Amino acid sequence: MIHSITHSISQVTAWSVLLLVALQVVSQLMVNLQWYLIARQAGTGISFADMLRVNCQGALADSVTPGVKFGGEVARAVQLSRVGGCSGEDAAAIVALQKMFSIGGMLAVVLLVLLVLAGLSGGLHRADFRFEAAVPAGVIAAAVLLAGLLLLPRVRRRVRSFGRVLRGHIAGLRGRPGFSAALAALSLAIWMLYPVKMYAVCVQFLPDVGLMSVGAVAFVSYTVAMLPIFPGGLGGFEASMSAMLVSLGFALSDAAVITVIFRFVTFWLVMLLSLVYIGVMRCVVKH
């Protein structure tokens, strides 16, 4: 087994890893740009650099809370209200708007991936991704949590206040259709990079692998990681990705190496860069 893993590692070129890193950095900057544009539209005076710091803090919060995007969005809302000089309801509305655009873009790209795979001979049959198991579990968990919170009177009042603020921001976006279309296009571009990043690594091991097939692996692994089980989705992401790569025809050692590289660049490297950026920003502020 050790020999197989060593052989798999030797197949990875430095250029493919550098490409993956570059694509990940571009993805993070695009996501930050979307947050920045939405926050500015909502009336905050936050700068692009400060928004990046808020997102870095959110990414670190994601790494220590169960699932992906579980604690990070709360951290972003808190920091937005502080740095952006807005109310808690406005900060929560900014988070909600970004999630609307992001989830909408993700669903559109996932639908495209599924349609393409459905048109390929045996595409969906070869890769049993089990959306029916991963997605409903997350929806049920979120519904139970939300129902429990809404039983609290104080939470109900906050929700009503938040709803009024959110409707106001949505009305503002409706008045700028071109701006809204740009945000939607940005979401599509961000999520379209997921298959590209995955393909940049997988093609080193299986040259004839399909872009959409490995993209589906990335999306389902990401969905599993969002389930509130382990901090940062650890464990579920790695297990699901490795299993699905094997189902696509990759050797077990190749699947393990691909998973480790992809996870390191898209998760651990992001954590490291976030820490560095936050440290640099604090030093700049002090001086």
Side-chain angles (χ1 to χ4, degrees):
M1 184 62 182
I2 295 178
H3 175 73
S4 299
I5 293 177
T6 303
H7 176 69
S8 297
I9 294 175
S10 67
Q11 292 181 260
V12 181
T13 65
W15 285 112
S16 65
V17 176
L18 289 174
L19 175 60
L20 178 57
V21 171
L23 290 173
Q24 184 61 34
V25 171
V26 170
S27 295
Q28 296 301 126
L29 292 176
M30 290 171 67
V31 170
N32 191 72
L33 175 61
Q34 186 179 59
W35 277 96
Y36 168 73
L37 292 174
I38 293 173
R40 297 286 290 192
Q41 162 68 20
T44 71
I46 194 170
S47 66
F48 185 88
D50 283 336
M51 189 69 248
L52 184 56
R53 179 161 56 90
V54 169
N55 272 319
C56 288
Q57 292 169 329
L60 293 176
D62 279 329
S63 68
V64 297
T65 51
V68 174
K69 305 299 181 185
F70 224 69
E73 308 307 359
V74 175
R76 287 180 177 90
V78 172
Q79 292 301 317
L80 269 170
S81 64
R82 293 176 180 173
V83 180
C86 58
S87 67
E89 287 82 2
D90 282 320
I94 292 170
V95 172
L97 288 172
Q98 196 278 334
K99 291 301 106 184
M100 289 179 187
F101 281 104
S102 180
I103 293 174
M106 178 183 178
L107 292 177
V109 175
V110 168
L111 179 61
L112 174 63
V113 169
L114 291 178
L115 289 175
V116 172
L117 286 176
L120 299 176
S121 177
L124 292 177
H125 177 72
R126 286 189 300 112
D128 184 9
F129 298 126
R130 301 189 180 280
F131 272 103
E132 70 278 8
V135 177
V139 172
I140 291 172
V144 171
L145 177 62
L146 181 60
L149 289 175
L150 290 178
L151 293 176
L152 302 175
R154 185 176 179 182
V155 172
R156 287 202 300 269
R157 289 194 298 271
R158 288 295 185 110
V159 168
R160 285 196 292 269
S161 177
F162 162 73
R164 289 193 295 270
V165 173
L166 180 60
R167 286 195 295 272
H169 288 305
I170 291 176
L173 286 174
R174 286 177 178 172
R176 300 182 63 186
F179 180 76
S180 299
L183 290 175
L186 192 55
S187 288
L188 287 173
I190 291 167
W191 286 108
M192 280 301 295
L193 281 178
Y194 269 79
V196 176
K197 288 185 284 188
M198 190 72 180
Y199 184 79
V201 182
C202 290
V203 74
Q204 304 293 315
F205 299 89
L206 202 62
D208 62 343
V209 69
L211 173 64
M212 293 302 179
S213 294
V214 296
V217 170
F219 284 124
V220 177
S221 300
Y222 185 82
T223 301
V224 172
M226 286 192 292
L227 301 180
I229 301 174
F230 299 109
L234 295 176
F237 181 95
E238 290 79 4
S240 59
M241 177 168 283
S242 297
M244 288 184 289
L245 286 174
V246 170
S247 75
L248 283 178
F250 289 88
L252 180 58
S253 59
D254 293 345
V257 171
I258 292 170
T259 299
V260 170
I261 293 174
F262 190 82
R263 184 61 159 170
F264 173 78
V265 173
T266 60
F267 183 80
W268 295 110
L269 182 61
V270 172
M271 298 302 106
L272 178 60
L273 293 178
S274 296
L275 284 170
V276 171
Y277 185 77
I278 291 172
V280 170
M281 286 293 288
R282 285 181 178 174
C283 290
V284 170
V285 170
K286 287 180 180 180
H287 292 83

